[in-house]
Amino acid sequence: MDTGDHSGRRPRAGSPPFAGLAGRLGMRSDRSTETPTWGPLTWFAVAVVAVELVGLQGYRLLTGQVLTFVQNPLWLLRPLVLLGAALATESLYRRYDRALARSNIEARVDDPSQFDGLVPDRLVWLLVALGTGFTLVNAVVILTVPQLYDAGGATRVFRFLVVTPFGYVPVLAAFLATYVAVEVLLPRRIAAADVTLDYLDPEQLGGMRPVGELVKLAYYYLMVGLVAYAVATYGPHILTGALGYSALDAPGLAVNAAFTAVWVLSVGIMAYGIYVLHQHMARQKRELLYDLDRRTRDHVDAPWDIRSFDALNPPSEYRRYRKQVEFVTGTKEYPATFTMWTQLVVGVMMPKTLQLLLAAV
């Protein structure tokens, strides 16, 4: 087994995006405990929601306009998703630290610092740049400012030009980057660092259950977002007239195809991460079994002749190695129990099933 720095050092996930700014403002995220706390990303999301709900809706009220959520109650899912994305991101950072600690990663690799920092900053800022650019082009070039003003006045223009690109995009980009880091980058780090499996794990998961739980949790957070998006997209059409407001036309084929593409992509990313973990665990098992088999045969005369082998009274070293082989062969090649697999299957099917049901109404 590889050994590294045993000085008590724990790999850390790092800080969620905007932590540096939050530190200068006196805000801290306490990830040293398992008690959920509001970190800088969540406070940023709260500020955005305050601008949108208090500032913009207050302006509509003062100017005699109908409040947006009165026209469409499902619009309130928008700020809820933003807050949920921020809370989910910071939760994944805490759970990452917890998974590394419970898996005892620092004792199973040569260099635990390979696991410092969950999400590369460049990935976050790349997604922020792409999201900001897309939303601004959509508002200015495709929808155009005059059309936005005609549809909802100054508040709609401000929301499309300021709140969405500079408020929603950074938070959602941080969540998506964290999702990719958990589902793709973490499994690849584990494989690249050649993390030794724990063959004495009583659950026979090689000590990888905390990592498997983290992968499942990240997908579940994304699944909740997909479900909320499906309700917000198809709900207004279904509720037309029920609450006294006008809804958009029923989402067409393009919306259905886009939702399916996002769903397939999110599931595919998770499946890739699980596959990488499986390949790592299977390779380690095979290599160790080959090594133990070679060592076992070194203590047996004529190892390829079973007829000359005294099975009732084998050498003591042979019995020792064979017992080790039992522990290795009993270790599973996936970081999940049957219950975890069942939960994942349900989570995978739920968004698409809900979307099909809503589309059929």
Side-chain angles (χ1 to χ4, degrees), residues 86-146:
L87 290 169
T89 301
E90 295 185 340
S91 171
L92 290 174
Y93 270 75
R94 291 191 299 269
R95 292 293 291 265
Y96 175 78
D97 286 337
R98 191 188 313 174
L100 294 183
R102 291 182 175 178
S103 298
N104 202 23
I105 290 293
E106 75 276 10
R108 297 163 64 181
V109 295
D110 290 323
D111 182 15
S113 66
Q114 298 175 77
F115 293 89
D116 285 352
L118 173 58
V119 183
D121 289 340
R122 62 181 179 275
L123 176 59
V124 179
W125 294 116
L126 173 62
L127 292 178
V128 169
L130 292 175
T132 302
F134 173 80
T135 53
L136 287 176
V137 168
N138 178 64
V140 176
V141 178
I142 299 177
L143 299 177
T144 72
V145 173

Short mmCIF file of all heavy atoms in Angstrom, two decimals, residues 86-146:
data_model
loop_
_atom_site.label_atom_id
_atom_site.label_comp_id
_atom_site.label_asym_id
_atom_site.label_seq_id
_atom_site.Cartn_x
_atom_site.Cartn_y
_atom_site.Cartn_z
N ALA A 86 -26.73 27.40 -5.40
CA ALA A 86 -25.66 27.89 -4.53
C ALA A 86 -25.47 26.98 -3.32
O ALA A 86 -24.34 26.60 -2.97
CB ALA A 86 -25.97 29.31 -4.07
N LEU A 87 -26.58 26.61 -2.68
CA LEU A 87 -26.50 25.72 -1.52
C LEU A 87 -25.95 24.35 -1.90
O LEU A 87 -25.15 23.75 -1.17
CB LEU A 87 -27.89 25.58 -0.88
CG LEU A 87 -28.43 26.82 -0.16
CD1 LEU A 87 -29.90 26.63 0.18
CD2 LEU A 87 -27.62 27.10 1.10
N ALA A 88 -26.37 23.85 -3.06
CA ALA A 88 -25.88 22.53 -3.52
C ALA A 88 -24.38 22.57 -3.79
O ALA A 88 -23.65 21.63 -3.47
CB ALA A 88 -26.64 22.11 -4.77
N THR A 89 -23.91 23.66 -4.38
CA THR A 89 -22.48 23.78 -4.68
C THR A 89 -21.66 23.74 -3.40
O THR A 89 -20.67 22.99 -3.30
CB THR A 89 -22.20 25.09 -5.43
OG1 THR A 89 -22.95 25.10 -6.65
CG2 THR A 89 -20.72 25.23 -5.75
N GLU A 90 -22.06 24.51 -2.43
CA GLU A 90 -21.30 24.54 -1.17
C GLU A 90 -21.44 23.23 -0.41
O GLU A 90 -20.51 22.80 0.28
CB GLU A 90 -21.73 25.74 -0.34
CG GLU A 90 -21.37 27.05 -1.02
CD GLU A 90 -21.67 28.28 -0.18
OE1 GLU A 90 -22.49 28.15 0.76
OE2 GLU A 90 -21.08 29.34 -0.45
N SER A 91 -22.59 22.57 -0.54
CA SER A 91 -22.76 21.26 0.07
C SER A 91 -21.80 20.25 -0.54
O SER A 91 -21.21 19.43 0.18
CB SER A 91 -24.21 20.78 -0.11
OG SER A 91 -24.35 19.43 0.28
N LEU A 92 -21.62 20.29 -1.84
CA LEU A 92 -20.70 19.36 -2.51
C LEU A 92 -19.26 19.60 -2.08
O LEU A 92 -18.47 18.65 -1.96
CB LEU A 92 -20.83 19.48 -4.03
CG LEU A 92 -22.14 18.95 -4.62
CD1 LEU A 92 -22.21 19.24 -6.12
CD2 LEU A 92 -22.28 17.45 -4.36
N TYR A 93 -18.90 20.87 -1.84
CA TYR A 93 -17.55 21.15 -1.33
C TYR A 93 -17.35 20.51 0.04
O TYR A 93 -16.31 19.91 0.31
CB TYR A 93 -17.33 22.66 -1.25
CG TYR A 93 -16.75 23.25 -2.50
CD1 TYR A 93 -17.53 23.44 -3.63
CD2 TYR A 93 -15.42 23.62 -2.57
CE1 TYR A 93 -17.02 23.98 -4.79
CE2 TYR A 93 -14.88 24.17 -3.72
CZ TYR A 93 -15.69 24.34 -4.83
OH TYR A 93 -15.17 24.87 -5.98
N ARG A 94 -18.35 20.65 0.92
CA ARG A 94 -18.23 20.05 2.25
C ARG A 94 -18.19 18.52 2.15
O ARG A 94 -17.40 17.86 2.83
CB ARG A 94 -19.39 20.49 3.14
CG ARG A 94 -19.37 21.95 3.55
CD ARG A 94 -20.39 22.23 4.63
NE ARG A 94 -21.75 21.95 4.18
CZ ARG A 94 -22.54 22.85 3.61
NH1 ARG A 94 -22.10 24.08 3.39
NH2 ARG A 94 -23.77 22.53 3.25
N ARG A 95 -19.05 17.97 1.31
CA ARG A 95 -19.11 16.52 1.20
C ARG A 95 -17.85 15.95 0.54
O ARG A 95 -17.47 14.81 0.79
CB ARG A 95 -20.36 16.12 0.40
CG ARG A 95 -21.67 16.41 1.11
CD ARG A 95 -21.84 15.54 2.34
NE ARG A 95 -22.05 14.16 1.96
CZ ARG A 95 -23.24 13.58 1.82
NH1 ARG A 95 -24.34 14.29 2.04
NH2 ARG A 95 -23.36 12.32 1.48
N TYR A 96 -17.22 16.74 -0.31
CA TYR A 96 -15.95 16.31 -0.90
C TYR A 96 -14.90 16.14 0.18
O TYR A 96 -14.21 15.11 0.25
CB TYR A 96 -15.50 17.35 -1.93
CG TYR A 96 -14.13 17.09 -2.54
CD1 TYR A 96 -13.97 16.15 -3.54
CD2 TYR A 96 -13.01 17.81 -2.12
CE1 TYR A 96 -12.73 15.92 -4.12
CE2 TYR A 96 -11.77 17.59 -2.68
CZ TYR A 96 -11.64 16.65 -3.68
OH TYR A 96 -10.40 16.43 -4.24
N ASP A 97 -14.76 17.13 1.05
CA ASP A 97 -13.81 17.03 2.16
C ASP A 97 -14.14 15.83 3.04
O ASP A 97 -13.26 15.10 3.48
CB ASP A 97 -13.83 18.30 3.00
CG ASP A 97 -13.14 19.47 2.31
OD1 ASP A 97 -12.30 19.20 1.43
OD2 ASP A 97 -13.44 20.62 2.63
N ARG A 98 -15.42 15.64 3.31
CA ARG A 98 -15.84 14.53 4.16
C ARG A 98 -15.54 13.18 3.50
O ARG A 98 -15.10 12.24 4.16
CB ARG A 98 -17.33 14.64 4.46
CG ARG A 98 -17.82 13.69 5.55
CD ARG A 98 -19.33 13.69 5.67
NE ARG A 98 -19.89 15.03 5.68
CZ ARG A 98 -21.20 15.27 5.67
NH1 ARG A 98 -22.05 14.26 5.63
NH2 ARG A 98 -21.63 16.52 5.70
N ALA A 99 -15.76 13.09 2.19
CA ALA A 99 -15.49 11.83 1.48
C ALA A 99 -14.01 11.50 1.51
O ALA A 99 -13.62 10.34 1.70
CB ALA A 99 -15.99 11.93 0.03
N LEU A 100 -13.15 12.51 1.32
CA LEU A 100 -11.71 12.27 1.36
C LEU A 100 -11.28 11.80 2.75
O LEU A 100 -10.45 10.90 2.89
CB LEU A 100 -10.96 13.53 0.98
CG LEU A 100 -11.10 14.03 -0.46
CD1 LEU A 100 -10.23 15.25 -0.68
CD2 LEU A 100 -10.77 12.94 -1.47
N ALA A 101 -11.86 12.41 3.78
CA ALA A 101 -11.49 12.04 5.15
C ALA A 101 -11.97 10.63 5.48
O ALA A 101 -11.22 9.83 6.04
CB ALA A 101 -12.08 13.05 6.14
N ARG A 102 -13.22 10.32 5.13
CA ARG A 102 -13.76 9.01 5.46
C ARG A 102 -13.14 7.91 4.62
O ARG A 102 -13.10 6.75 5.05
CB ARG A 102 -15.28 9.02 5.29
CG ARG A 102 -15.99 9.88 6.33
CD ARG A 102 -17.49 9.84 6.18
NE ARG A 102 -18.14 10.58 7.27
CZ ARG A 102 -19.45 10.74 7.37
NH1 ARG A 102 -20.26 10.22 6.45
NH2 ARG A 102 -19.96 11.41 8.39
N SER A 103 -12.66 8.24 3.44
CA SER A 103 -11.97 7.25 2.61
C SER A 103 -10.50 7.12 2.99
O SER A 103 -9.80 6.25 2.46
CB SER A 103 -12.06 7.65 1.13
OG SER A 103 -13.41 7.67 0.70
N ASN A 104 -10.02 8.01 3.88
CA ASN A 104 -8.62 7.98 4.32
C ASN A 104 -7.67 8.08 3.12
O ASN A 104 -6.68 7.35 3.02
CB ASN A 104 -8.33 6.71 5.12
CG ASN A 104 -7.12 6.86 6.02
OD1 ASN A 104 -6.74 7.97 6.39
ND2 ASN A 104 -6.50 5.75 6.38
N ILE A 105 -7.98 9.01 2.24
CA ILE A 105 -7.22 9.14 1.00
C ILE A 105 -5.75 9.45 1.26
O ILE A 105 -4.87 8.95 0.58
CB ILE A 105 -7.84 10.25 0.12
CG1 ILE A 105 -9.18 9.78 -0.44
CG2 ILE A 105 -6.90 10.63 -1.03
CD1 ILE A 105 -9.11 8.64 -1.42
N GLU A 106 -5.46 10.28 2.27
CA GLU A 106 -4.08 10.70 2.49
C GLU A 106 -3.15 9.53 2.82
O GLU A 106 -1.94 9.63 2.64
CB GLU A 106 -3.99 11.77 3.59
CG GLU A 106 -4.15 11.25 5.01
CD GLU A 106 -5.61 11.11 5.42
OE1 GLU A 106 -6.49 11.22 4.54
OE2 GLU A 106 -5.87 10.88 6.61
N ALA A 107 -3.71 8.41 3.32
CA ALA A 107 -2.89 7.24 3.64
C ALA A 107 -2.82 6.26 2.48
O ALA A 107 -2.10 5.26 2.56
CB ALA A 107 -3.45 6.53 4.88
N ARG A 108 -3.53 6.55 1.40
CA ARG A 108 -3.61 5.59 0.29
C ARG A 108 -2.95 6.09 -0.98
O ARG A 108 -3.01 5.43 -2.02
CB ARG A 108 -5.10 5.27 0.02
CG ARG A 108 -5.78 4.61 1.21
CD ARG A 108 -7.29 4.66 1.14
NE ARG A 108 -7.82 3.91 0.02
CZ ARG A 108 -9.11 3.82 -0.26
NH1 ARG A 108 -10.00 4.46 0.49
NH2 ARG A 108 -9.53 3.11 -1.29
N VAL A 109 -2.33 7.27 -0.90
CA VAL A 109 -1.62 7.81 -2.06
C VAL A 109 -0.28 8.37 -1.61
O VAL A 109 -0.06 8.63 -0.43
CB VAL A 109 -2.43 8.92 -2.77
CG1 VAL A 109 -3.71 8.37 -3.37
CG2 VAL A 109 -2.76 10.05 -1.80
N ASP A 110 0.62 8.55 -2.55
CA ASP A 110 1.93 9.12 -2.23
C ASP A 110 1.84 10.62 -1.94
O ASP A 110 2.55 11.13 -1.08
CB ASP A 110 2.91 8.88 -3.39
CG ASP A 110 3.29 7.41 -3.52
OD1 ASP A 110 3.43 6.76 -2.47
OD2 ASP A 110 3.44 6.94 -4.65
N ASP A 111 0.98 11.30 -2.69
CA ASP A 111 0.91 12.76 -2.59
C ASP A 111 -0.54 13.20 -2.42
O ASP A 111 -1.26 13.38 -3.40
CB ASP A 111 1.51 13.39 -3.85
CG ASP A 111 1.50 14.92 -3.79
OD1 ASP A 111 1.30 15.46 -2.67
OD2 ASP A 111 1.71 15.56 -4.84
N PRO A 112 -1.00 13.39 -1.17
CA PRO A 112 -2.39 13.81 -0.94
C PRO A 112 -2.73 15.17 -1.53
O PRO A 112 -3.91 15.46 -1.74
CB PRO A 112 -2.50 13.84 0.60
CG PRO A 112 -1.38 12.98 1.09
CD PRO A 112 -0.28 13.15 0.08
N SER A 113 -1.72 15.99 -1.80
CA SER A 113 -2.00 17.33 -2.34
C SER A 113 -2.64 17.28 -3.72
O SER A 113 -3.19 18.28 -4.19
CB SER A 113 -0.72 18.16 -2.40
OG SER A 113 0.20 17.62 -3.34
N GLN A 114 -2.61 16.11 -4.36
CA GLN A 114 -3.27 15.96 -5.66
C GLN A 114 -4.77 16.19 -5.54
O GLN A 114 -5.44 16.47 -6.54
CB GLN A 114 -3.02 14.55 -6.22
CG GLN A 114 -1.57 14.24 -6.50
CD GLN A 114 -1.39 12.80 -6.95
OE1 GLN A 114 -1.67 12.45 -8.09
NE2 GLN A 114 -0.94 11.95 -6.04
N PHE A 115 -5.30 16.05 -4.33
CA PHE A 115 -6.73 16.18 -4.12
C PHE A 115 -7.10 17.52 -3.48
O PHE A 115 -8.25 17.71 -3.07
CB PHE A 115 -7.24 15.02 -3.25
CG PHE A 115 -7.14 13.70 -3.96
CD1 PHE A 115 -5.99 12.93 -3.87
CD2 PHE A 115 -8.18 13.23 -4.74
CE1 PHE A 115 -5.89 11.71 -4.52
CE2 PHE A 115 -8.10 12.02 -5.41
CZ PHE A 115 -6.95 11.27 -5.30
N ASP A 116 -6.14 18.42 -3.38
CA ASP A 116 -6.44 19.76 -2.89
C ASP A 116 -7.14 20.54 -3.99
O ASP A 116 -6.67 20.61 -5.13
CB ASP A 116 -5.16 20.49 -2.48
CG ASP A 116 -4.61 19.99 -1.16
OD1 ASP A 116 -5.31 19.20 -0.50
OD2 ASP A 116 -3.50 20.39 -0.78
N GLY A 117 -8.25 21.15 -3.66
CA GLY A 117 -8.98 21.93 -4.65
C GLY A 117 -9.90 21.04 -5.46
O GLY A 117 -9.45 20.16 -6.17
N LEU A 118 -11.19 21.26 -5.31
CA LEU A 118 -12.15 20.42 -6.02
C LEU A 118 -12.33 20.85 -7.46
O LEU A 118 -12.30 20.01 -8.37
CB LEU A 118 -13.50 20.46 -5.28
CG LEU A 118 -14.69 19.78 -5.96
CD1 LEU A 118 -14.38 18.31 -6.22
CD2 LEU A 118 -15.94 19.92 -5.10
N VAL A 119 -12.49 22.15 -7.69
CA VAL A 119 -12.82 22.65 -9.03
C VAL A 119 -11.73 23.58 -9.52
O VAL A 119 -11.39 24.55 -8.83
CB VAL A 119 -14.16 23.40 -9.03
CG1 VAL A 119 -14.54 23.84 -10.43
CG2 VAL A 119 -15.26 22.54 -8.43
N PRO A 120 -11.16 23.33 -10.69
CA PRO A 120 -10.18 24.28 -11.24
C PRO A 120 -10.85 25.63 -11.53
O PRO A 120 -11.94 25.68 -12.10
CB PRO A 120 -9.74 23.61 -12.55
CG PRO A 120 -10.10 22.17 -12.41
CD PRO A 120 -11.34 22.15 -11.55
N ASP A 121 -10.20 26.71 -11.14
CA ASP A 121 -10.78 28.04 -11.35
C ASP A 121 -11.05 28.32 -12.83
O ASP A 121 -12.06 28.95 -13.18
CB ASP A 121 -9.83 29.12 -10.81
CG ASP A 121 -9.79 29.13 -9.28
OD1 ASP A 121 -10.73 28.60 -8.66
OD2 ASP A 121 -8.80 29.63 -8.72
N ARG A 122 -10.17 27.82 -13.68
CA ARG A 122 -10.34 28.11 -15.11
C ARG A 122 -11.62 27.48 -15.66
O ARG A 122 -12.23 28.03 -16.59
CB ARG A 122 -9.13 27.62 -15.90
CG ARG A 122 -8.88 26.13 -15.83
CD ARG A 122 -7.64 25.75 -16.62
NE ARG A 122 -7.35 24.33 -16.59
CZ ARG A 122 -6.68 23.72 -15.63
NH1 ARG A 122 -6.21 24.43 -14.61
NH2 ARG A 122 -6.47 22.41 -15.66
N LEU A 123 -12.04 26.36 -15.09
CA LEU A 123 -13.29 25.74 -15.54
C LEU A 123 -14.48 26.62 -15.17
O LEU A 123 -15.40 26.81 -15.98
CB LEU A 123 -13.44 24.35 -14.92
CG LEU A 123 -14.75 23.61 -15.23
CD1 LEU A 123 -14.92 23.41 -16.73
CD2 LEU A 123 -14.80 22.26 -14.50
N VAL A 124 -14.47 27.14 -13.95
CA VAL A 124 -15.57 28.00 -13.51
C VAL A 124 -15.65 29.25 -14.39
O VAL A 124 -16.73 29.60 -14.90
CB VAL A 124 -15.38 28.42 -12.04
CG1 VAL A 124 -16.52 29.35 -11.61
CG2 VAL A 124 -15.33 27.20 -11.13
N TRP A 125 -14.52 29.92 -14.59
CA TRP A 125 -14.54 31.17 -15.34
C TRP A 125 -14.83 30.94 -16.83
O TRP A 125 -15.41 31.80 -17.48
CB TRP A 125 -13.23 31.92 -15.14
CG TRP A 125 -13.08 32.38 -13.74
CD1 TRP A 125 -12.13 32.02 -12.84
CD2 TRP A 125 -13.94 33.31 -13.04
NE1 TRP A 125 -12.34 32.63 -11.63
CE2 TRP A 125 -13.44 33.43 -11.72
CE3 TRP A 125 -15.07 34.03 -13.40
CZ2 TRP A 125 -14.04 34.24 -10.77
CZ3 TRP A 125 -15.68 34.84 -12.44
CH2 TRP A 125 -15.15 34.95 -11.15
N LEU A 126 -14.46 29.77 -17.35
CA LEU A 126 -14.81 29.45 -18.73
C LEU A 126 -16.32 29.35 -18.87
O LEU A 126 -16.91 29.91 -19.81
CB LEU A 126 -14.15 28.13 -19.15
CG LEU A 126 -14.56 27.59 -20.53
CD1 LEU A 126 -14.17 28.57 -21.63
CD2 LEU A 126 -13.95 26.21 -20.77
N LEU A 127 -16.97 28.64 -17.93
CA LEU A 127 -18.43 28.51 -17.98
C LEU A 127 -19.10 29.85 -17.74
O LEU A 127 -20.13 30.17 -18.36
CB LEU A 127 -18.89 27.49 -16.94
CG LEU A 127 -18.48 26.04 -17.21
CD1 LEU A 127 -18.97 25.14 -16.08
CD2 LEU A 127 -19.03 25.55 -18.55
N VAL A 128 -18.54 30.67 -16.86
CA VAL A 128 -19.10 32.01 -16.62
C VAL A 128 -19.02 32.84 -17.90
O VAL A 128 -19.99 33.52 -18.28
CB VAL A 128 -18.36 32.71 -15.47
CG1 VAL A 128 -18.74 34.19 -15.41
CG2 VAL A 128 -18.67 32.04 -14.14
N ALA A 129 -17.87 32.80 -18.56
CA ALA A 129 -17.69 33.59 -19.78
C ALA A 129 -18.66 33.13 -20.88
O ALA A 129 -19.30 33.95 -21.55
CB ALA A 129 -16.25 33.48 -20.27
N LEU A 130 -18.79 31.81 -21.05
CA LEU A 130 -19.70 31.28 -22.07
C LEU A 130 -21.14 31.64 -21.75
O LEU A 130 -21.90 32.06 -22.63
CB LEU A 130 -19.54 29.76 -22.18
CG LEU A 130 -18.21 29.27 -22.75
CD1 LEU A 130 -18.14 27.74 -22.70
CD2 LEU A 130 -18.02 29.75 -24.19
N GLY A 131 -21.53 31.46 -20.48
CA GLY A 131 -22.91 31.75 -20.09
C GLY A 131 -23.24 33.23 -20.20
O GLY A 131 -24.33 33.60 -20.69
N THR A 132 -22.34 34.08 -19.75
CA THR A 132 -22.57 35.52 -19.83
C THR A 132 -22.66 35.98 -21.28
O THR A 132 -23.56 36.75 -21.65
CB THR A 132 -21.45 36.29 -19.11
OG1 THR A 132 -21.38 35.86 -17.75
CG2 THR A 132 -21.70 37.79 -19.16
N GLY A 133 -21.74 35.49 -22.10
CA GLY A 133 -21.77 35.86 -23.51
C GLY A 133 -23.05 35.42 -24.20
O GLY A 133 -23.66 36.19 -24.96
N PHE A 134 -23.48 34.18 -23.91
CA PHE A 134 -24.70 33.66 -24.55
C PHE A 134 -25.93 34.46 -24.14
O PHE A 134 -26.75 34.83 -24.98
CB PHE A 134 -24.89 32.19 -24.18
CG PHE A 134 -26.20 31.61 -24.66
CD1 PHE A 134 -26.35 31.22 -25.98
CD2 PHE A 134 -27.27 31.49 -23.78
CE1 PHE A 134 -27.56 30.71 -26.42
CE2 PHE A 134 -28.47 30.98 -24.22
CZ PHE A 134 -28.62 30.58 -25.54
N THR A 135 -26.07 34.73 -22.83
CA THR A 135 -27.26 35.45 -22.37
C THR A 135 -27.30 36.88 -22.89
O THR A 135 -28.37 37.40 -23.22
CB THR A 135 -27.33 35.45 -20.83
OG1 THR A 135 -26.08 35.95 -20.30
CG2 THR A 135 -27.57 34.05 -20.30
N LEU A 136 -26.14 37.53 -22.99
CA LEU A 136 -26.12 38.91 -23.50
C LEU A 136 -26.43 38.94 -24.99
O LEU A 136 -27.18 39.81 -25.47
CB LEU A 136 -24.77 39.55 -23.22
CG LEU A 136 -24.50 39.92 -21.76
CD1 LEU A 136 -23.08 40.46 -21.60
CD2 LEU A 136 -25.52 40.95 -21.26
N VAL A 137 -25.87 38.01 -25.74
CA VAL A 137 -26.16 37.94 -27.19
C VAL A 137 -27.64 37.65 -27.40
O VAL A 137 -28.29 38.23 -28.27
CB VAL A 137 -25.28 36.88 -27.87
CG1 VAL A 137 -25.76 36.60 -29.28
CG2 VAL A 137 -23.82 37.33 -27.89
N ASN A 138 -28.18 36.74 -26.60
CA ASN A 138 -29.60 36.40 -26.72
C ASN A 138 -30.47 37.62 -26.44
O ASN A 138 -31.47 37.86 -27.15
CB ASN A 138 -29.94 35.28 -25.74
CG ASN A 138 -31.41 34.91 -25.79
OD1 ASN A 138 -31.92 34.45 -26.80
ND2 ASN A 138 -32.10 35.12 -24.67
N ALA A 139 -30.11 38.42 -25.43
CA ALA A 139 -30.92 39.58 -25.06
C ALA A 139 -30.80 40.71 -26.06
O ALA A 139 -31.80 41.35 -26.42
CB ALA A 139 -30.52 40.06 -23.66
N VAL A 140 -29.57 40.98 -26.52
CA VAL A 140 -29.34 42.16 -27.36
C VAL A 140 -29.58 41.88 -28.84
O VAL A 140 -30.17 42.70 -29.55
CB VAL A 140 -27.89 42.68 -27.14
CG1 VAL A 140 -27.60 43.84 -28.08
CG2 VAL A 140 -27.70 43.09 -25.69
N VAL A 141 -29.13 40.71 -29.30
CA VAL A 141 -29.18 40.42 -30.73
C VAL A 141 -30.45 39.67 -31.13
O VAL A 141 -31.10 40.02 -32.12
CB VAL A 141 -27.93 39.62 -31.16
CG1 VAL A 141 -27.99 39.27 -32.64
CG2 VAL A 141 -26.66 40.40 -30.82
N ILE A 142 -30.80 38.63 -30.37
CA ILE A 142 -31.92 37.79 -30.77
C ILE A 142 -33.25 38.38 -30.31
O ILE A 142 -34.15 38.63 -31.11
CB ILE A 142 -31.74 36.37 -30.22
CG1 ILE A 142 -30.45 35.75 -30.78
CG2 ILE A 142 -32.95 35.50 -30.57
CD1 ILE A 142 -30.14 34.38 -30.24
N LEU A 143 -33.39 38.63 -29.01
CA LEU A 143 -34.64 39.19 -28.50
C LEU A 143 -34.73 40.69 -28.76
O LEU A 143 -35.83 41.20 -29.06
CB LEU A 143 -34.77 38.91 -27.00
CG LEU A 143 -34.81 37.43 -26.60
CD1 LEU A 143 -34.86 37.29 -25.09
CD2 LEU A 143 -36.02 36.74 -27.22
N THR A 144 -33.62 41.38 -28.65
CA THR A 144 -33.45 42.83 -28.82
C THR A 144 -34.08 43.59 -27.65
O THR A 144 -35.11 43.20 -27.08
CB THR A 144 -34.05 43.36 -30.14
OG1 THR A 144 -35.47 43.34 -30.07
CG2 THR A 144 -33.56 42.57 -31.33
N VAL A 145 -33.44 44.70 -27.31
CA VAL A 145 -33.88 45.51 -26.17
C VAL A 145 -35.28 46.09 -26.38
O VAL A 145 -36.11 46.06 -25.45
CB VAL A 145 -32.85 46.62 -25.89
CG1 VAL A 145 -33.38 47.57 -24.81
CG2 VAL A 145 -31.52 46.02 -25.46
N PRO A 146 -35.61 46.62 -27.55
CA PRO A 146 -36.98 47.16 -27.74
C PRO A 146 -38.07 46.12 -27.51
O PRO A 146 -39.09 46.41 -26.88
CB PRO A 146 -36.97 47.64 -29.19
CG PRO A 146 -35.53 47.95 -29.47
CD PRO A 146 -34.76 46.90 -28.74
#
